Amino acid sequence: MNKPGEKALATGAGPGVATRKGGDLIAEFLVEEKIPYVFGICGHGNVGLLDPLYRVRDRVKLVSPRHEQTAAHMADGYFRVKHRPVATLTSTGPGSANLIMALAVAQTDSSALLAITANVPTSQFNRGPFQELNRHHQADFPNVIRPVVKRSFQPTRVDMLPLALRQAITTATSGRPGPVNLDVPFNLFQEKAEVPLEPAWNFEQRRSGASAEDVRRAVDLLAASRRPVFFIGHGCTLSEAGGELTELARKYRVPVISSPNGMGCLDMRDSLSLGFIGRNGAYPANQAGRNADLVIAIGARFDDRSSSSWMPGYSWNFPSSKLIHVDVDHAEIGRNYVPDLGILADARTFLRQLLAESASRRIDGETQFRAHFPEWHAEIARWRAEWEKYIRPNFEIHASPIRPERIVADCRAVLPDDAIISLDSGIHHNWFMQFWEARRPQTMLNTWGYSGMGFGPSAILGAKLAAPDKPCVSICGDGGFTMVSHVLCTAVEYDIPAVWVVWNNFSWAAIRDLQYAYFGGREHGTAFYHGPDRKPYNPDFAAWARAAGVEGMTVTKSQDFKAALEHAVKLGRPCLIDVHVDANIRPPGTGAWALPPIPPMEPVFGKKHVR
Ligand SMILES: Cc1ncc(C[n+]2csc(CCOP(=O)(O)OP(=O)(O)O)c2C)c(N)n1
Ligand SMILES: [Mg+2]
């Protein structure tokens, strides 16, 4: 996308604009907006756009995965890594319906993409043609997609396309990013109009800050605090606020708790980084959260997983702790906890304002604002030492099947700081949110809000296209990988050297463990078996990979994993490692999580503490 003033109107606005087919107009818009990829699957409804895309194929590459869900996850992954949107293209009806789950993932994790869907010709609206949904309204796909996008546009004439395209990209990328739908009736690709394209805004351009009064109040609260913490989320990452966060945290020595999508904004090797909070968080983070007297939440939601299901004393202690809640989305401010100070602002702008305000508090040229909190840091160091003593020995154990900690440790040892990992939904993710040490922003891609399986193994393809020079590794469950195993074909077809580490525990282990814990230790429908004696079953994932043309390895001993991963990362071709992980070792809960009315599980390490 272009910065303001960087370019004139696309193809020469004003008199002399060529008469173009709607399909060409869309293709040219993608070129003008520097959208380098369309991830899409064909259908009779969108063939009218494939031909215009052929004409711009040197500037907009069409990648066709084998399932629409994967197309949208790829676009989502691309945006999370590069912060630039790409498009998906799907056909009328079922092809577009296959997008829904992946759009929900993008929506709930604030990831922008343009979902171009095709619909039936306007002249056939309400006649019930092939693949029209019309029970309540003609060509009603926008109503199907509505809850999972920021906005759905359905232009019905070619001359409506320029405005719809501009508004679609602007809406997707500005404010809180998210997916946007452009639903195009079939005839618009073919019909012509003499209309200029309109350039879009981009999300860099909207950086609203806090009022001067609110900035002063925030610094007053920080100055009066003795036990402050930052709680940062995807909003910090999206606003590319890592530099400002790091500067502010280090200058005043404010510790940082992070949600998974905020990880890496502060290098997690920094002693100020406390990791994730909640049931699957780190003990020092839960201790700091529940003992803090001031929480400054920036671009972070207090969802159930990062708040121990809002039960006081497990992760947070509002209202006895004060809360400053900063977000670009007013709907998130005060959703679960009423803040003492709610601020509608961009994360980076707000952090810059805090830096400027705290530096300006001078008397005789000396900064009067020296927030170092030595007692607070002594307490945190003690919690960190207790936690380390409890967990560290398990990182050293070699075994077969492999202890989960070894996978996390060896991934960290092998992968460079800028490598990108994607996680899926499942127990493997819990291990990574508890123990992964992200060192750079945009390097840990999590399906957080919607937790959709299939995201991780698919998004890694988009991530690799966004960052071809960085190793891109999907760590995914055996169940989740099976859901989208066709990603192997796309990697081969388009030469995308992604790596999949299949965390093979022969079960839907995250759910199996809930069943064990809540329902008398029984297992039913949550593990994979074969034969009369119910032996654990899975396909031979490595052979499956090889059948697709991907290098495949099986690792059953922890001693072998590191070398296998090193090989995979260096290979320069797609590669899958099937890793047999011990299904019976669980990440230690340090907060709580509740599924009412079942009573919550108490932490196994640490305990509730209401101030
Ligand atoms: C598409 C989808 N279906 C179902 C679920 C519910 N679910 C969450 S975790 C999980 C099990 C995951 O199994 P696996 O991929 O093997 O990962 P593991 O927990 O074993 O690490 C399931 C079924 C989901 N989140 N997404
Ligand atoms: Mg599994």
Side-chain angles (χ1 to χ4, degrees):
M1 285 174 297
N2 297 279
K3 300 256 187 306
E6 196 177 285
K7 70 159 192 224
L9 280 183
T11 36
V17 170
T19 299
R20 282 172 294 193
K21 284 187 178 179
D24 287 322
L25 218 129
I26 295 171
E28 283 167 37
F29 178 82
L30 299 175
V31 171
E32 290 296 326
E33 292 300 320
K34 300 191 174 58
I35 293 176
Y37 286 104
V38 172
F39 302 137
I41 293 191
C42 60
H44 80 278
N46 67 17
V47 281
L49 187 53
L50 294 179
D51 206 50
L53 287 178
Y54 174 78
R55 281 194 282 284
V56 299
R57 67 192 179 286
D58 56 333
R59 285 157 295 164
V60 181
K61 188 167 178 189
L62 178 69
V63 174
S64 280
R66 302 296 175 104
H67 194 293
E68 290 85 354
Q69 177 197 342
T70 286
H73 286 322
M74 286 174 68
D76 179 350
Y78 187 98
F79 182 80
R80 293 185 199 219
V81 169
K82 205 149 184 175
H83 289 172
R84 312 267 294 203
V86 291
T88 60
L89 173 63
T90 50
S91 190
T92 317
S96 294
N98 264 349
L99 286 176
I100 300 298
M101 191 280 259
L103 292 176
V105 167
Q107 164 101 314
T108 52
D109 284 339
S110 314
S111 187
L113 63 99
L114 175 65
I116 304 173
T117 55
N119 216 320
V120 301
T122 50
S123 58
Q124 296 182 351
F125 275 16
N126 278 326
R127 287 180 180 276
F130 188 38
Q131 299 178 334
E132 182 192 32
L133 289 177
N134 62 11
R135 188 64 59 93
H136 299 283
H137 189 76
Q138 63 205 21
D140 209 9
F141 189 71
N143 259 330
V144 174
I145 205 171
R146 194 162 60 171
V148 296
V149 288
K150 275 180 92 173
R151 181 74 153 81
S152 174
F153 296 87
Q154 192 188 52
T156 47
R157 293 163 49 108
V158 178
D159 59 13
M160 294 167 75
L161 274 171
L163 179 68
L165 282 161
R166 165 166 78 75
Q167 290 185 343
I169 281 290
T170 304
T171 305
T173 56
S174 58
R176 181 179 185 175
V180 166
N181 173 226
L182 181 78
D183 190 60
V184 188
F186 180 83
N187 50 308
L188 268 67
F189 297 129
Q190 297 306 317
E191 287 165 4
K192 293 181 175 174
E194 200 180 294
V195 279
L197 283 169
E198 299 181 21
W201 280 71
N202 87 38
F203 90 134
E204 267 292 306
Q205 295 169 23
R206 301 216 183 149
R207 290 284 188 184
S208 359
S211 69
E213 173 57 20
D214 282 349
V215 175
R216 274 195 298 276
R217 284 177 65 198
V219 173
D220 287 346
L221 283 167
L222 184 56
S225 141
R226 291 292 161 265
R227 299 183 307 277
V229 287
F230 280 121
F231 174 43
I232 60 148
H234 203 190
C236 256
T237 309
L238 287 165
S239 141
E240 299 181 359
E244 286 77 2
L245 175 80
T246 303
E247 185 181 343
L248 192 68
R250 288 189 180 154
K251 198 162 180 180
Y252 302 113
R253 296 201 44 74
V254 181
V256 177
I257 296 169
S258 177
S259 84
N261 282 332
M263 285 184 180
C265 283
L266 172 69
D267 185 332
M268 293 178 78
R269 284 171 295 189
D270 195 304
S271 64
L272 292 167
S273 170
L274 303 180
F276 179 54
I277 193 163
R279 175 167 165 74
N280 293 108
Y283 172 70
N286 277 307
Q287 280 290 79
R290 56 201 171 209
N291 284 286
D293 63 357
L294 173 67
V295 178
I296 306 176
I298 305 180
R301 302 186 292 127
F302 291 94
D303 68 316
D304 58 339
R305 293 201 285 169
S306 63
S307 68
S308 291
S309 300
W310 311 287
M311 295 179 291
Y314 288 96
S315 289
W316 308 105
N317 261 316
F318 304 117
S320 70
S321 315
K322 287 198 163 20
L323 173 62
I324 303 173
H325 197 169
V326 184
D327 207 288
V328 283
D329 183 353
H330 61 82
E332 294 303 343
I333 301 171
R335 183 193 289 281
N336 289 305
Y337 296 118
V338 178
D340 297 274
L341 180 57
I343 296 178
L344 189 69
D346 165 71
R348 190 170 76 191
T349 306
F350 175 72
L351 285 163
R352 284 182 182 170
Q353 290 178 299
L354 270 196
L355 276 163
E357 173 67 19
S358 47
S360 75
R361 298 207 172 184
R362 289 164 184 275
I363 299 174
D364 298 333
E366 275 293 297
T367 299
Q368 295 302 297
F369 187 81
R370 298 172 194 284
H372 292 304
F373 317 109
E375 284 156 28
W376 183 223
H377 285 285
E379 275 188 282
I380 289 173
R382 213 178 55 244
W383 298 327
R384 196 189 288 281
E386 286 171 43
W387 178 234
E388 280 293 308
K389 193 168 159 215
Y390 178 71
I391 58 158
R392 198 50 52 193
N394 294 332
F395 280 82
E396 312 306 327
I397 300 171
H398 281 286
S400 176
I402 301 170
R403 271 200 77 101
E405 293 92 335
R406 290 272 3 136
I407 312 292
V408 183
D410 286 343
C411 284
R412 189 60 285 175
V414 170
L415 297 177
D417 293 357
D418 64 353
I420 293 159
I421 63 165
S422 71
L423 291 313
D424 215 43
S425 175
I427 202 81
H428 63 283
H429 184 222
N430 293 356
W431 284 100
F432 270 78
M433 63 181 145
Q434 198 162 43
F435 294 117
W436 184 245
E437 186 190 83
R439 296 173 179 171
R440 306 258 180 95
Q442 291 146 265
T443 59
M444 185 190 187
L445 315 183
N446 308 271
T447 170
W448 187 246
Y450 209 60
S451 196
M453 292 169 68
F455 163 82
S458 305
I460 206 67
L461 295 172
K464 186 69 186 172
L465 293 174
D469 300 331
K470 298 178 184 170
C472 290
V473 179
S474 148
I475 294 120
C476 52
D478 45 341
F481 179 79
T482 312
M483 284 188 177
V484 292
S485 53
H486 50 77
V487 292
L488 298 169
C489 315
T490 307
V492 173
E493 245 183 296
Y494 294 92
D495 213 357
I496 308 173
V499 175
W500 292 272
V501 172
V502 178
W503 184 287
N504 188 351
N505 49 23
F506 296 86
S507 56
W508 311 106
I511 311 302
R512 184 207 58 169
D513 287 355
L514 284 180
Q515 213 173 35
Y516 279 159
Y518 288 149
F519 300 100
R522 283 179 297 281
E523 183 281 306
H524 186 58
T526 57
F528 313 134
Y529 303 107
H530 173 248
D533 48 356
R534 287 172 52 86
K535 284 215 176 79
Y537 166 77
N538 250 330
D540 178 341
F541 288 109
W544 199 352
R546 288 194 290 274
V550 167
E551 182 154 331
M553 290 176 270
T554 306
V555 174
T556 56
K557 294 206 300 278
S558 45
Q559 290 88 336
D560 299 338
F561 176 64
K562 207 169 170 183
L565 184 61
E566 272 164 2
H567 171 77
V569 167
K570 281 197 202 118
L571 189 64
R573 282 189 287 116
C575 186
L576 177 147
I577 315 174
D578 175 13
V579 189
H580 290 214
V581 183
D582 195 326
N584 294 312
I585 299 175
R586 286 153 194 105
T590 63
W593 188 61
L595 275 178
I598 296 173
M601 273 178 277
E602 290 299 313
V604 298
F605 192 80
K607 58 181 188 317
K608 168 178 168 176
H609 169 69
V610 182
R611 291 186 77 87

PDB file of all heavy atoms in Angstrom, residues 87 145 190 317 352 357 375 381 405 421 441 452 473 529 579 589:
ATOM      1  N   ALA A  87      -4.766 -11.019  -0.510  1.00  0.00           N
ATOM      2  CA  ALA A  87      -6.171 -11.347  -0.774  1.00  0.00           C
ATOM      3  C   ALA A  87      -6.369 -12.848  -0.884  1.00  0.00           C
ATOM      4  O   ALA A  87      -5.440 -13.597  -1.197  1.00  0.00           O
ATOM      5  CB  ALA A  87      -6.618 -10.673  -2.070  1.00  0.00           C
ATOM      6  N   ILE A 145     -21.130 -14.590   6.059  1.00  0.00           N
ATOM      7  CA  ILE A 145     -19.764 -14.225   6.424  1.00  0.00           C
ATOM      8  C   ILE A 145     -19.718 -13.103   7.472  1.00  0.00           C
ATOM      9  O   ILE A 145     -18.698 -12.884   8.122  1.00  0.00           O
ATOM     10  CB  ILE A 145     -18.986 -13.808   5.135  1.00  0.00           C
ATOM     11  CG1 ILE A 145     -17.477 -14.015   5.297  1.00  0.00           C
ATOM     12  CG2 ILE A 145     -19.293 -12.392   4.714  1.00  0.00           C
ATOM     13  CD1 ILE A 145     -16.700 -13.836   3.995  1.00  0.00           C
ATOM     14  N   GLN A 190     -17.160  -9.479 -15.869  1.00  0.00           N
ATOM     15  CA  GLN A 190     -17.238  -9.358 -17.335  1.00  0.00           C
ATOM     16  C   GLN A 190     -17.689  -7.986 -17.808  1.00  0.00           C
ATOM     17  O   GLN A 190     -17.250  -7.506 -18.852  1.00  0.00           O
ATOM     18  CB  GLN A 190     -18.237 -10.400 -17.878  1.00  0.00           C
ATOM     19  CG  GLN A 190     -17.832 -11.826 -17.629  1.00  0.00           C
ATOM     20  CD  GLN A 190     -16.444 -12.126 -18.147  1.00  0.00           C
ATOM     21  OE1 GLN A 190     -16.075 -11.706 -19.243  1.00  0.00           O
ATOM     22  NE2 GLN A 190     -15.641 -12.793 -17.351  1.00  0.00           N
ATOM     23  N   ASN A 317      -5.897  -9.116  40.327  1.00  0.00           N
ATOM     24  CA  ASN A 317      -6.639  -8.767  41.529  1.00  0.00           C
ATOM     25  C   ASN A 317      -7.323  -7.409  41.384  1.00  0.00           C
ATOM     26  O   ASN A 317      -7.136  -6.527  42.215  1.00  0.00           O
ATOM     27  CB  ASN A 317      -5.704  -8.748  42.750  1.00  0.00           C
ATOM     28  CG  ASN A 317      -5.796 -10.035  43.546  1.00  0.00           C
ATOM     29  OD1 ASN A 317      -6.891 -10.541  43.791  1.00  0.00           O
ATOM     30  ND2 ASN A 317      -4.649 -10.574  43.924  1.00  0.00           N
ATOM     31  N   ARG A 352       5.054   6.229  23.185  1.00  0.00           N
ATOM     32  CA  ARG A 352       5.884   7.415  22.921  1.00  0.00           C
ATOM     33  C   ARG A 352       5.451   8.580  23.805  1.00  0.00           C
ATOM     34  O   ARG A 352       6.269   9.328  24.319  1.00  0.00           O
ATOM     35  CB  ARG A 352       5.772   7.828  21.450  1.00  0.00           C
ATOM     36  CG  ARG A 352       6.565   6.904  20.560  1.00  0.00           C
ATOM     37  CD  ARG A 352       6.503   7.346  19.122  1.00  0.00           C
ATOM     38  NE  ARG A 352       7.256   6.388  18.320  1.00  0.00           N
ATOM     39  CZ  ARG A 352       7.262   6.359  17.001  1.00  0.00           C
ATOM     40  NH1 ARG A 352       6.572   7.240  16.300  1.00  0.00           N
ATOM     41  NH2 ARG A 352       7.976   5.458  16.349  1.00  0.00           N
ATOM     42  N   GLU A 357       6.384  12.186  28.305  1.00  0.00           N
ATOM     43  CA  GLU A 357       5.851  12.793  29.533  1.00  0.00           C
ATOM     44  C   GLU A 357       6.750  12.467  30.733  1.00  0.00           C
ATOM     45  O   GLU A 357       7.066  13.353  31.536  1.00  0.00           O
ATOM     46  CB  GLU A 357       4.425  12.283  29.784  1.00  0.00           C
ATOM     47  CG  GLU A 357       3.809  12.686  31.107  1.00  0.00           C
ATOM     48  CD  GLU A 357       3.542  14.173  31.244  1.00  0.00           C
ATOM     49  OE1 GLU A 357       3.482  14.875  30.202  1.00  0.00           O
ATOM     50  OE2 GLU A 357       3.426  14.649  32.404  1.00  0.00           O
ATOM     51  N   GLU A 375      12.213  -3.212  45.531  1.00  0.00           N
ATOM     52  CA  GLU A 375      11.609  -4.298  46.351  1.00  0.00           C
ATOM     53  C   GLU A 375      10.768  -5.236  45.481  1.00  0.00           C
ATOM     54  O   GLU A 375      10.761  -6.453  45.663  1.00  0.00           O
ATOM     55  CB  GLU A 375      10.733  -3.714  47.448  1.00  0.00           C
ATOM     56  CG  GLU A 375      11.572  -3.144  48.578  1.00  0.00           C
ATOM     57  CD  GLU A 375      10.837  -2.087  49.366  1.00  0.00           C
ATOM     58  OE1 GLU A 375       9.588  -2.141  49.424  1.00  0.00           O
ATOM     59  OE2 GLU A 375      11.520  -1.188  49.912  1.00  0.00           O
ATOM     60  N   ALA A 381      12.348 -11.705  41.496  1.00  0.00           N
ATOM     61  CA  ALA A 381      13.523 -12.584  41.349  1.00  0.00           C
ATOM     62  C   ALA A 381      13.333 -13.854  42.179  1.00  0.00           C
ATOM     63  O   ALA A 381      13.709 -14.956  41.762  1.00  0.00           O
ATOM     64  CB  ALA A 381      14.788 -11.839  41.774  1.00  0.00           C
ATOM     65  N   GLU A 405       9.183 -30.812  27.100  1.00  0.00           N
ATOM     66  CA  GLU A 405      10.131 -29.714  27.344  1.00  0.00           C
ATOM     67  C   GLU A 405      11.301 -29.756  26.375  1.00  0.00           C
ATOM     68  O   GLU A 405      11.841 -28.714  25.989  1.00  0.00           O
ATOM     69  CB  GLU A 405      10.692 -29.778  28.776  1.00  0.00           C
ATOM     70  CG  GLU A 405       9.689 -29.516  29.884  1.00  0.00           C
ATOM     71  CD  GLU A 405       9.036 -30.787  30.401  1.00  0.00           C
ATOM     72  OE1 GLU A 405       8.981 -31.784  29.643  1.00  0.00           O
ATOM     73  OE2 GLU A 405       8.568 -30.784  31.550  1.00  0.00           O
ATOM     74  N   ILE A 421       7.840 -19.139  14.113  1.00  0.00           N
ATOM     75  CA  ILE A 421       7.138 -20.395  14.406  1.00  0.00           C
ATOM     76  C   ILE A 421       5.635 -20.135  14.405  1.00  0.00           C
ATOM     77  O   ILE A 421       5.185 -19.030  14.749  1.00  0.00           O
ATOM     78  CB  ILE A 421       7.570 -21.039  15.747  1.00  0.00           C
ATOM     79  CG1 ILE A 421       7.234 -20.141  16.942  1.00  0.00           C
ATOM     80  CG2 ILE A 421       9.049 -21.381  15.745  1.00  0.00           C
ATOM     81  CD1 ILE A 421       7.301 -20.865  18.278  1.00  0.00           C
ATOM     82  N   PRO A 441       9.524  -9.468  17.682  1.00  0.00           N
ATOM     83  CA  PRO A 441       8.085  -9.431  17.398  1.00  0.00           C
ATOM     84  C   PRO A 441       7.765 -10.141  16.085  1.00  0.00           C
ATOM     85  O   PRO A 441       8.641 -10.287  15.226  1.00  0.00           O
ATOM     86  CB  PRO A 441       7.763  -7.928  17.279  1.00  0.00           C
ATOM     87  CG  PRO A 441       9.038  -7.192  17.367  1.00  0.00           C
ATOM     88  CD  PRO A 441      10.162  -8.147  17.634  1.00  0.00           C
ATOM     89  N   GLY A 452      -8.435 -21.995  16.229  1.00  0.00           N
ATOM     90  CA  GLY A 452      -8.874 -22.901  15.166  1.00  0.00           C
ATOM     91  C   GLY A 452      -7.767 -23.850  14.734  1.00  0.00           C
ATOM     92  O   GLY A 452      -6.675 -23.425  14.359  1.00  0.00           O
ATOM     93  N   VAL A 473       8.749 -22.476  10.816  1.00  0.00           N
ATOM     94  CA  VAL A 473       8.487 -23.812  11.345  1.00  0.00           C
ATOM     95  C   VAL A 473       7.107 -23.853  11.994  1.00  0.00           C
ATOM     96  O   VAL A 473       6.807 -23.048  12.876  1.00  0.00           O
ATOM     97  CB  VAL A 473       9.567 -24.192  12.395  1.00  0.00           C
ATOM     98  CG1 VAL A 473       9.297 -25.580  12.970  1.00  0.00           C
ATOM     99  CG2 VAL A 473      10.961 -24.112  11.790  1.00  0.00           C
ATOM    100  N   TYR A 529      -7.092 -44.773  17.750  1.00  0.00           N
ATOM    101  CA  TYR A 529      -6.799 -46.192  17.926  1.00  0.00           C
ATOM    102  C   TYR A 529      -7.063 -46.961  16.650  1.00  0.00           C
ATOM    103  O   TYR A 529      -7.766 -46.484  15.752  1.00  0.00           O
ATOM    104  CB  TYR A 529      -7.699 -46.803  19.011  1.00  0.00           C
ATOM    105  CG  TYR A 529      -7.612 -46.135  20.349  1.00  0.00           C
ATOM    106  CD1 TYR A 529      -8.655 -45.332  20.801  1.00  0.00           C
ATOM    107  CD2 TYR A 529      -6.493 -46.311  21.163  1.00  0.00           C
ATOM    108  CE1 TYR A 529      -8.583 -44.709  22.036  1.00  0.00           C
ATOM    109  CE2 TYR A 529      -6.415 -45.693  22.402  1.00  0.00           C
ATOM    110  CZ  TYR A 529      -7.462 -44.884  22.828  1.00  0.00           C
ATOM    111  OH  TYR A 529      -7.391 -44.279  24.047  1.00  0.00           O
ATOM    112  N   VAL A 579       7.328 -36.260  15.332  1.00  0.00           N
ATOM    113  CA  VAL A 579       8.015 -36.401  16.614  1.00  0.00           C
ATOM    114  C   VAL A 579       7.091 -37.088  17.619  1.00  0.00           C
ATOM    115  O   VAL A 579       6.008 -36.567  17.932  1.00  0.00           O
ATOM    116  CB  VAL A 579       8.426 -35.011  17.166  1.00  0.00           C
ATOM    117  CG1 VAL A 579       9.318 -35.169  18.385  1.00  0.00           C
ATOM    118  CG2 VAL A 579       9.138 -34.193  16.110  1.00  0.00           C
ATOM    119  N   GLY A 589       0.009 -26.235  35.523  1.00  0.00           N
ATOM    120  CA  GLY A 589      -0.884 -25.077  35.635  1.00  0.00           C
ATOM    121  C   GLY A 589      -0.407 -24.150  36.742  1.00  0.00           C
ATOM    122  O   GLY A 589      -0.147 -24.594  37.862  1.00  0.00           O
TER     123      GLY A 589
END
